[in-house]
Amino acid sequence: MTNTTQAAHLGPVLVTGATGQVGRRLVSALLETGHPVTILTRSPAAARRLWPSDRVAVHAGDLTEAATLAGLGEGLKTVFHLASYAPRPDEPDLYNAPDHWRVTAEGTANLVAALTGSTIERLVYVSTVKAMGDRAGALGRPAGADTPPEPDCLYGRAKLAAEHSVLEFGRAHRTKVSVMRLPMVYGLDGAGNIVRMVEAVATGRFPPWPHQHNRRSAIHVEDAIAAALLIARHPETGDRTYIATDGQPYSTRWIYEQIRLALGRSVPRWTLPLWILQGAALGGTLVERGLGRRMPLTRDSLAKLTQDAWYDSSAITALGFVPRQGLMDEIKRLTRRSSAASAP
């Protein structure tokens, strides 16, 4: 398929959350294939710093203020909805910050209300596996079938409510709407859990990890964008929820070992007992709750490092999705950068 054909297929595109780590890369990918792009943003000045030319049209608006969304979908054919609440780096209990509901759930309801009566033909909502809780084994399936358990944090509940809003909009207005859930995303230069873990291992702040071989899913940001574009273009999508991963299971122990080796260091023969980590995590949780200050290790963060979060991406694979990136290459890239930064 040529770029011209792809551009004609999607038509003019609206992207929300365009200034975020994933959103800005999605906008670049759309521009490279000739799509006219409009972005919704609360900060036109920030958008113009990212895209100084007139290649990107800017709609100044706020998902939480419905009046600012008037006329948003006029003349557009495709929507990629990525916007959600982004907690401050120092905000405690990131997954239960109150504004998740106001921005993500209520804001998405405002968005689809603004799109009612517009020319929109397809919408892809980029969500998260947190919408089905921290457990393994969920499948991409027809929306509403075998509904998974309620998520266990406000972030997940807000994302799930937003998913319901967009899918109901699609059914009510015969618009092709799909949801794409993402696990941990890597490849976000300078941001993300893998970057922090590489930095912690490189500086000796990450202990020799126990031999716990949990399984977690992940995906490179470029593959996430490719998956979203595939869902938008594919003739058989619509009223479905997909999970996009790179297809590989990763354990915290495996990641720790690969970082050490990529840094040119041996893997210690000893490991820190899990019970010590659990005690430190409990202490960190109590301090975080008591002082309202983020702590590096809490029971929630330890759970992310020790529990399974492995998801089945066979539904999107059946559409022809083939991930091109793996975490091993990303670890090598990040450790090279870390070594270069620490060199005298």
Side-chain angles (χ1 to χ4, degrees), residues 14 16 69 71-74 76 79 81 108-120 122-123 166 169 173 175:
L14 169 69
T16 75
L69 308 179
L72 185 59
E74 294 178 3
L76 301 174
V79 175
H81 178 31
T108 297
N110 290 337
L111 174 67
V112 296
L115 296 178
T116 299
S118 70
T119 55
I120 295 299
R122 63 187 65 80
L123 185 154
V166 297
F169 167 78
H173 301 283
T175 302

Side-chain angles (χ1 to χ4, degrees), residues 55-304:
R55 296 180 68 197
V56 173
V58 174
H59 182 112
D62 188 326
L63 288 176
T64 65
E65 299 177 12
T68 67
L69 308 179
L72 185 59
E74 294 178 3
L76 301 174
K77 295 296 183 185
T78 302
V79 175
F80 290 97
H81 178 31
L82 286 73
S84 63
Y85 177 65
R88 301 184 315 273
D90 62 340
E91 193 167 353
D93 203 357
L94 298 181
Y95 290 114
N96 287 296
D99 279 342
H100 281 304
W101 190 263
R102 184 177 67 90
V103 176
T104 302
E106 296 176 359
T108 297
N110 290 337
L111 174 67
V112 296
L115 296 178
T116 299
S118 70
T119 55
I120 295 299
E121 296 178 354
R122 63 187 65 80
L123 185 154
V124 176
Y125 177 45
V126 179
S127 185
T128 172
V129 293
K130 286 283 188 181
M132 51 190 174
D134 285 328
R135 68 173 218 149
L139 295 171
R141 52 174 66 87
D146 299 324
T147 304
E150 283 289 314
D152 49 12
C153 62
L154 185 58
Y155 170 64
R157 291 192 291 273
K159 283 289 192 177
L160 184 61
E163 291 180 9
H164 289 164
S165 292
V166 297
L167 290 168
E168 288 170 5
F169 167 78
R171 297 178 196 126
H173 301 283
R174 297 183 178 180
T175 302
K176 179 181 170 182
V177 174
S178 299
V179 171
M180 181 179 74
R181 290 172 173 167
L182 295 178
M184 178 183 69
V185 178
Y186 58 92
L188 304 173
D189 295 327
N193 293 333
I194 295 299
V195 173
R196 288 189 285 272
M197 188 169 173
V198 168
E199 292 174 348
V201 173
T203 56
R205 293 181 289 108
F206 199 93
W209 202 252
H211 286 283
Q212 278 205 322
H213 297 289
N214 58 320
R215 299 196 309 166
R216 301 192 71 88
S217 293
I219 189 169
H220 192 279
V221 63
E222 292 179 6
D223 284 328
I225 290 166
L229 292 171
L230 172 63
I231 291 171
R233 292 174 177 141
H234 201 284
E236 297 179 9
T237 55
D239 202 33
R240 287 188 64 92
T241 298
Y242 297 91
I243 302 169
T245 78
D246 65 12
Q248 301 299 316
Y250 301 107
S251 73
T252 304
R253 175 68 190 188
W254 179 88
I255 296 171
Y256 168 75
E257 290 180 356
Q258 299 311 311
I259 293 172
R260 293 279 309 189
L261 294 173
L263 288 167
R265 303 175 187 176
S266 62
V267 177
R269 295 183 179 181
W270 65 280
T271 65
L272 195 67
L274 181 59
W275 64 268
I276 292 181
L277 291 168
Q278 291 170 332
L282 175 60
T285 299
L286 295 175
V287 170
E288 186 170 282
R289 291 176 180 174
L291 301 181
R293 180 185 305 167
R294 284 199 65 193
M295 299 299 293
L297 184 65
T298 64
R299 286 192 294 186
D300 285 344
S301 61
L302 181 61
K304 289 176 65 176

